[in-house]
Amino acid sequence: NDLNYGRDQKITVLHIAEKPSIAQAIAKGLASMGSGNYDSDGGRLPVHMIGNLPFPKAPRASVCCHRITSVAGHVFNVDFPPQYQSWDSVDPAELFHATVIRKPSKGSVVNHLQTEARGVDFVCLWMDCDREGENINFEVLDCTMHLMKSGGQAGVANYDRVYRAHFSAINPSDIKKAYGLLGKPDKNQSLSVDARQELDLKVGVAFSRFQTRYFQGRYGDLDSAVLSYGPCQTPTLGFCVQRHIEIETFKPEPYWTLDLGVLKRGRMCRALWKTGRSFNKQKVLNLVQKCRDSPNCSAEVLSTVTKEKKQGRPTPLNTVAMLKAASKALGIGPHAAMQCAERLFLSCYL
């Protein structure tokens, strides 16, 4: 990028985050570097506006206006063209050689991006710092880059004025640091997600159609309306079956522990056995008898150790960790947990 771009002129920078809540946090963080104030509209995907904040990639601009908005996850989904949609006329094997097309997951998001990107000078991408985030970056650029100011053919020349923020937290200090160290999106990471999406689609749809048609009518008690298959479903099912077998074949075994109580001046101090527990009953009984046979039972503190421990702030959960926590702590299944999370996520923006 030419640092003389927009010299003595007014420029507009469009910031795009992965979720509305992240966009709001970015707006607060950027506002804290300037006037401390920002305005917002009331849309489903809100747009936050900051009047004038210097932009590090255009330091000679007279005025820098910022707009901060977001998408809601992936902008596009992959699918087969219409000629491959029929289960009856298309051999599942043909799907491995079929072309794949992209369809907007939510048409309103594409329209929103195009409206906000029209005529802007810079685009800053604030997606999650992982491969999925990089893929969403380039989905956003497909919708916006050609609409930026002074773009070349298909917006290719505008890529020099596209930046990517790398951040691990959304507090003001991390937002400020990321804003000062803007980089570029990683095309290779995005392409790896494209490959994974195409493989998931082809393998999942082809095998789902094949096994559904193969098993229909073969077993009377089998619901074979749709027998779904997926690269993630197979190992997950394997884990569930293995765990079920372990539960069904589990044989409980008795174990023994030692619990020592030391009484002094009316106060009881409990001590735990370092071994924890033992499946050898006689070993534990021998230890108990040894204590009983001692003429004067007493305990002596040989040493003490004092340590200071600092507990940091909890880190945000990704989707997998959130589902694990919901299942373990609340007993909520993955489907119900995702529904709750999505409703909470969008409740403030509908």
Side-chain angles (χ1 to χ4, degrees), residues 23-48:
Q24 185 177 29
I26 293 168
K28 290 181 179 179
L30 296 180
S32 67
M33 299 166 59
S35 64
N37 299 317
Y38 65 92
D39 297 321
S40 304
D41 65 10
R44 176 176 171 270
L45 296 174
V47 180
H48 312 284

PDB file of all heavy atoms in Angstrom, residues 23-48:
ATOM      1  N   ALA A  23     -17.895  -7.228  16.386  1.00  0.00           N
ATOM      2  CA  ALA A  23     -17.902  -5.903  15.767  1.00  0.00           C
ATOM      3  C   ALA A  23     -18.120  -4.812  16.817  1.00  0.00           C
ATOM      4  O   ALA A  23     -17.477  -3.755  16.777  1.00  0.00           O
ATOM      5  CB  ALA A  23     -18.992  -5.833  14.694  1.00  0.00           C
ATOM      6  N   GLN A  24     -19.009  -5.057  17.757  1.00  0.00           N
ATOM      7  CA  GLN A  24     -19.254  -4.073  18.808  1.00  0.00           C
ATOM      8  C   GLN A  24     -18.019  -3.897  19.682  1.00  0.00           C
ATOM      9  O   GLN A  24     -17.658  -2.768  20.054  1.00  0.00           O
ATOM     10  CB  GLN A  24     -20.444  -4.499  19.649  1.00  0.00           C
ATOM     11  CG  GLN A  24     -20.846  -3.463  20.701  1.00  0.00           C
ATOM     12  CD  GLN A  24     -22.073  -3.882  21.483  1.00  0.00           C
ATOM     13  OE1 GLN A  24     -22.329  -5.060  21.656  1.00  0.00           O
ATOM     14  NE2 GLN A  24     -22.837  -2.915  21.951  1.00  0.00           N
ATOM     15  N   ALA A  25     -17.334  -4.997  20.011  1.00  0.00           N
ATOM     16  CA  ALA A  25     -16.119  -4.902  20.822  1.00  0.00           C
ATOM     17  C   ALA A  25     -15.027  -4.144  20.080  1.00  0.00           C
ATOM     18  O   ALA A  25     -14.285  -3.354  20.675  1.00  0.00           O
ATOM     19  CB  ALA A  25     -15.635  -6.304  21.198  1.00  0.00           C
ATOM     20  N   ILE A  26     -14.922  -4.367  18.773  1.00  0.00           N
ATOM     21  CA  ILE A  26     -13.926  -3.642  17.973  1.00  0.00           C
ATOM     22  C   ILE A  26     -14.255  -2.157  17.947  1.00  0.00           C
ATOM     23  O   ILE A  26     -13.363  -1.306  18.072  1.00  0.00           O
ATOM     24  CB  ILE A  26     -13.881  -4.226  16.550  1.00  0.00           C
ATOM     25  CG1 ILE A  26     -13.323  -5.653  16.587  1.00  0.00           C
ATOM     26  CG2 ILE A  26     -13.030  -3.358  15.625  1.00  0.00           C
ATOM     27  CD1 ILE A  26     -13.511  -6.416  15.288  1.00  0.00           C
ATOM     28  N   ALA A  27     -15.525  -1.836  17.791  1.00  0.00           N
ATOM     29  CA  ALA A  27     -15.929  -0.431  17.786  1.00  0.00           C
ATOM     30  C   ALA A  27     -15.568   0.250  19.104  1.00  0.00           C
ATOM     31  O   ALA A  27     -15.051   1.374  19.119  1.00  0.00           O
ATOM     32  CB  ALA A  27     -17.428  -0.315  17.516  1.00  0.00           C
ATOM     33  N   LYS A  28     -15.812  -0.428  20.216  1.00  0.00           N
ATOM     34  CA  LYS A  28     -15.458   0.139  21.513  1.00  0.00           C
ATOM     35  C   LYS A  28     -13.949   0.315  21.637  1.00  0.00           C
ATOM     36  O   LYS A  28     -13.461   1.333  22.143  1.00  0.00           O
ATOM     37  CB  LYS A  28     -15.974  -0.754  22.636  1.00  0.00           C
ATOM     38  CG  LYS A  28     -17.480  -0.758  22.795  1.00  0.00           C
ATOM     39  CD  LYS A  28     -17.895  -1.657  23.952  1.00  0.00           C
ATOM     40  CE  LYS A  28     -19.409  -1.654  24.147  1.00  0.00           C
ATOM     41  NZ  LYS A  28     -19.820  -2.548  25.257  1.00  0.00           N
ATOM     42  N   GLY A  29     -13.194  -0.701  21.169  1.00  0.00           N
ATOM     43  CA  GLY A  29     -11.743  -0.620  21.265  1.00  0.00           C
ATOM     44  C   GLY A  29     -11.170   0.498  20.418  1.00  0.00           C
ATOM     45  O   GLY A  29     -10.278   1.236  20.863  1.00  0.00           O
ATOM     46  N   LEU A  30     -11.669   0.649  19.185  1.00  0.00           N
ATOM     47  CA  LEU A  30     -11.175   1.715  18.318  1.00  0.00           C
ATOM     48  C   LEU A  30     -11.605   3.085  18.830  1.00  0.00           C
ATOM     49  O   LEU A  30     -10.838   4.051  18.756  1.00  0.00           O
ATOM     50  CB  LEU A  30     -11.682   1.503  16.883  1.00  0.00           C
ATOM     51  CG  LEU A  30     -11.187   0.245  16.168  1.00  0.00           C
ATOM     52  CD1 LEU A  30     -11.776   0.167  14.761  1.00  0.00           C
ATOM     53  CD2 LEU A  30      -9.668   0.213  16.100  1.00  0.00           C
ATOM     54  N   ALA A  31     -12.827   3.159  19.351  1.00  0.00           N
ATOM     55  CA  ALA A  31     -13.293   4.442  19.872  1.00  0.00           C
ATOM     56  C   ALA A  31     -12.455   4.894  21.055  1.00  0.00           C
ATOM     57  O   ALA A  31     -12.234   6.093  21.251  1.00  0.00           O
ATOM     58  CB  ALA A  31     -14.762   4.327  20.270  1.00  0.00           C
ATOM     59  N   SER A  32     -11.957   3.944  21.847  1.00  0.00           N
ATOM     60  CA  SER A  32     -11.145   4.313  23.007  1.00  0.00           C
ATOM     61  C   SER A  32      -9.811   4.928  22.598  1.00  0.00           C
ATOM     62  O   SER A  32      -9.147   5.575  23.404  1.00  0.00           O
ATOM     63  CB  SER A  32     -10.885   3.082  23.877  1.00  0.00           C
ATOM     64  OG  SER A  32     -10.057   2.144  23.199  1.00  0.00           O
ATOM     65  N   MET A  33      -9.418   4.757  21.339  1.00  0.00           N
ATOM     66  CA  MET A  33      -8.173   5.341  20.851  1.00  0.00           C
ATOM     67  C   MET A  33      -8.376   6.769  20.342  1.00  0.00           C
ATOM     68  O   MET A  33      -7.415   7.471  20.058  1.00  0.00           O
ATOM     69  CB  MET A  33      -7.604   4.477  19.726  1.00  0.00           C
ATOM     70  CG  MET A  33      -7.278   3.058  20.135  1.00  0.00           C
ATOM     71  SD  MET A  33      -7.004   1.948  18.735  1.00  0.00           S
ATOM     72  CE  MET A  33      -5.646   2.780  17.921  1.00  0.00           C
ATOM     73  N   GLY A  34      -9.638   7.167  20.174  1.00  0.00           N
ATOM     74  CA  GLY A  34      -9.932   8.502  19.670  1.00  0.00           C
ATOM     75  C   GLY A  34     -10.804   9.276  20.621  1.00  0.00           C
ATOM     76  O   GLY A  34     -10.427   9.546  21.769  1.00  0.00           O
ATOM     77  N   SER A  35     -12.004   9.577  20.171  1.00  0.00           N
ATOM     78  CA  SER A  35     -12.929  10.376  20.981  1.00  0.00           C
ATOM     79  C   SER A  35     -13.558   9.573  22.105  1.00  0.00           C
ATOM     80  O   SER A  35     -14.095  10.131  23.056  1.00  0.00           O
ATOM     81  CB  SER A  35     -14.040  10.937  20.087  1.00  0.00           C
ATOM     82  OG  SER A  35     -14.821   9.883  19.544  1.00  0.00           O
ATOM     83  N   GLY A  36     -13.532   8.260  21.974  1.00  0.00           N
ATOM     84  CA  GLY A  36     -14.175   7.417  22.965  1.00  0.00           C
ATOM     85  C   GLY A  36     -15.639   7.169  22.676  1.00  0.00           C
ATOM     86  O   GLY A  36     -16.301   6.434  23.408  1.00  0.00           O
ATOM     87  N   ASN A  37     -16.162   7.733  21.591  1.00  0.00           N
ATOM     88  CA  ASN A  37     -17.577   7.593  21.255  1.00  0.00           C
ATOM     89  C   ASN A  37     -17.739   6.958  19.876  1.00  0.00           C
ATOM     90  O   ASN A  37     -16.898   7.129  18.987  1.00  0.00           O
ATOM     91  CB  ASN A  37     -18.281   8.953  21.259  1.00  0.00           C
ATOM     92  CG  ASN A  37     -18.235   9.618  22.630  1.00  0.00           C
ATOM     93  OD1 ASN A  37     -18.447   8.959  23.651  1.00  0.00           O
ATOM     94  ND2 ASN A  37     -17.943  10.899  22.658  1.00  0.00           N
ATOM     95  N   TYR A  38     -18.837   6.243  19.707  1.00  0.00           N
ATOM     96  CA  TYR A  38     -19.185   5.711  18.390  1.00  0.00           C
ATOM     97  C   TYR A  38     -20.704   5.641  18.293  1.00  0.00           C
ATOM     98  O   TYR A  38     -21.407   5.540  19.299  1.00  0.00           O
ATOM     99  CB  TYR A  38     -18.554   4.331  18.160  1.00  0.00           C
ATOM    100  CG  TYR A  38     -19.062   3.245  19.075  1.00  0.00           C
ATOM    101  CD1 TYR A  38     -20.135   2.436  18.701  1.00  0.00           C
ATOM    102  CD2 TYR A  38     -18.471   3.021  20.318  1.00  0.00           C
ATOM    103  CE1 TYR A  38     -20.604   1.437  19.542  1.00  0.00           C
ATOM    104  CE2 TYR A  38     -18.937   2.022  21.161  1.00  0.00           C
ATOM    105  CZ  TYR A  38     -19.993   1.236  20.764  1.00  0.00           C
ATOM    106  OH  TYR A  38     -20.464   0.252  21.598  1.00  0.00           O
ATOM    107  N   ASP A  39     -21.202   5.717  17.073  1.00  0.00           N
ATOM    108  CA  ASP A  39     -22.632   5.630  16.816  1.00  0.00           C
ATOM    109  C   ASP A  39     -22.941   4.297  16.152  1.00  0.00           C
ATOM    110  O   ASP A  39     -22.099   3.706  15.469  1.00  0.00           O
ATOM    111  CB  ASP A  39     -23.095   6.769  15.897  1.00  0.00           C
ATOM    112  CG  ASP A  39     -22.896   8.132  16.548  1.00  0.00           C
ATOM    113  OD1 ASP A  39     -23.139   8.234  17.764  1.00  0.00           O
ATOM    114  OD2 ASP A  39     -22.495   9.066  15.835  1.00  0.00           O
ATOM    115  N   SER A  40     -24.183   3.839  16.333  1.00  0.00           N
ATOM    116  CA  SER A  40     -24.592   2.565  15.749  1.00  0.00           C
ATOM    117  C   SER A  40     -25.993   2.682  15.188  1.00  0.00           C
ATOM    118  O   SER A  40     -26.824   3.423  15.724  1.00  0.00           O
ATOM    119  CB  SER A  40     -24.558   1.444  16.800  1.00  0.00           C
ATOM    120  OG  SER A  40     -23.287   1.345  17.398  1.00  0.00           O
ATOM    121  N   ASP A  41     -26.231   1.940  14.091  1.00  0.00           N
ATOM    122  CA  ASP A  41     -27.603   1.856  13.602  1.00  0.00           C
ATOM    123  C   ASP A  41     -28.272   0.653  14.281  1.00  0.00           C
ATOM    124  O   ASP A  41     -27.668  -0.045  15.080  1.00  0.00           O
ATOM    125  CB  ASP A  41     -27.637   1.750  12.075  1.00  0.00           C
ATOM    126  CG  ASP A  41     -27.017   0.463  11.559  1.00  0.00           C
ATOM    127  OD1 ASP A  41     -26.722  -0.434  12.380  1.00  0.00           O
ATOM    128  OD2 ASP A  41     -26.798   0.341  10.338  1.00  0.00           O
ATOM    129  N   GLY A  42     -29.499   0.392  13.957  1.00  0.00           N
ATOM    130  CA  GLY A  42     -30.235  -0.658  14.664  1.00  0.00           C
ATOM    131  C   GLY A  42     -30.519  -1.873  13.827  1.00  0.00           C
ATOM    132  O   GLY A  42     -31.508  -2.557  14.063  1.00  0.00           O
ATOM    133  N   GLY A  43     -29.672  -2.159  12.829  1.00  0.00           N
ATOM    134  CA  GLY A  43     -29.936  -3.277  11.945  1.00  0.00           C
ATOM    135  C   GLY A  43     -29.647  -4.627  12.575  1.00  0.00           C
ATOM    136  O   GLY A  43     -29.100  -4.730  13.669  1.00  0.00           O
ATOM    137  N   ARG A  44     -30.009  -5.676  11.844  1.00  0.00           N
ATOM    138  CA  ARG A  44     -29.731  -7.036  12.314  1.00  0.00           C
ATOM    139  C   ARG A  44     -28.237  -7.271  12.394  1.00  0.00           C
ATOM    140  O   ARG A  44     -27.744  -7.958  13.297  1.00  0.00           O
ATOM    141  CB  ARG A  44     -30.384  -8.041  11.365  1.00  0.00           C
ATOM    142  CG  ARG A  44     -30.090  -9.494  11.694  1.00  0.00           C
ATOM    143  CD  ARG A  44     -30.845 -10.427  10.773  1.00  0.00           C
ATOM    144  NE  ARG A  44     -30.398 -11.802  10.957  1.00  0.00           N
ATOM    145  CZ  ARG A  44     -29.415 -12.368  10.283  1.00  0.00           C
ATOM    146  NH1 ARG A  44     -28.755 -11.640   9.383  1.00  0.00           N
ATOM    147  NH2 ARG A  44     -29.064 -13.613  10.486  1.00  0.00           N
ATOM    148  N   LEU A  45     -27.499  -6.713  11.442  1.00  0.00           N
ATOM    149  CA  LEU A  45     -26.042  -6.689  11.486  1.00  0.00           C
ATOM    150  C   LEU A  45     -25.639  -5.232  11.647  1.00  0.00           C
ATOM    151  O   LEU A  45     -25.460  -4.514  10.666  1.00  0.00           O
ATOM    152  CB  LEU A  45     -25.443  -7.293  10.210  1.00  0.00           C
ATOM    153  CG  LEU A  45     -25.740  -8.771   9.960  1.00  0.00           C
ATOM    154  CD1 LEU A  45     -25.221  -9.211   8.594  1.00  0.00           C
ATOM    155  CD2 LEU A  45     -25.134  -9.650  11.058  1.00  0.00           C
ATOM    156  N   PRO A  46     -25.535  -4.755  12.871  1.00  0.00           N
ATOM    157  CA  PRO A  46     -25.339  -3.317  13.120  1.00  0.00           C
ATOM    158  C   PRO A  46     -24.074  -2.781  12.471  1.00  0.00           C
ATOM    159  O   PRO A  46     -23.082  -3.496  12.281  1.00  0.00           O
ATOM    160  CB  PRO A  46     -25.241  -3.241  14.652  1.00  0.00           C
ATOM    161  CG  PRO A  46     -25.897  -4.490  15.141  1.00  0.00           C
ATOM    162  CD  PRO A  46     -25.612  -5.529  14.117  1.00  0.00           C
ATOM    163  N   VAL A  47     -24.124  -1.508  12.143  1.00  0.00           N
ATOM    164  CA  VAL A  47     -22.963  -0.786  11.626  1.00  0.00           C
ATOM    165  C   VAL A  47     -22.613   0.292  12.640  1.00  0.00           C
ATOM    166  O   VAL A  47     -23.439   1.143  12.974  1.00  0.00           O
ATOM    167  CB  VAL A  47     -23.257  -0.144  10.252  1.00  0.00           C
ATOM    168  CG1 VAL A  47     -22.017   0.598   9.736  1.00  0.00           C
ATOM    169  CG2 VAL A  47     -23.694  -1.207   9.246  1.00  0.00           C
ATOM    170  N   HIS A  48     -21.402   0.235  13.170  1.00  0.00           N
ATOM    171  CA  HIS A  48     -20.912   1.203  14.141  1.00  0.00           C
ATOM    172  C   HIS A  48     -20.009   2.202  13.412  1.00  0.00           C
ATOM    173  O   HIS A  48     -19.202   1.808  12.564  1.00  0.00           O
ATOM    174  CB  HIS A  48     -20.138   0.504  15.259  1.00  0.00           C
ATOM    175  CG  HIS A  48     -20.854  -0.678  15.837  1.00  0.00           C
ATOM    176  ND1 HIS A  48     -21.917  -0.572  16.697  1.00  0.00           N
ATOM    177  CD2 HIS A  48     -20.662  -2.012  15.643  1.00  0.00           C
ATOM    178  CE1 HIS A  48     -22.344  -1.769  17.034  1.00  0.00           C
ATOM    179  NE2 HIS A  48     -21.592  -2.664  16.403  1.00  0.00           N
TER     180      HIS A  48
END
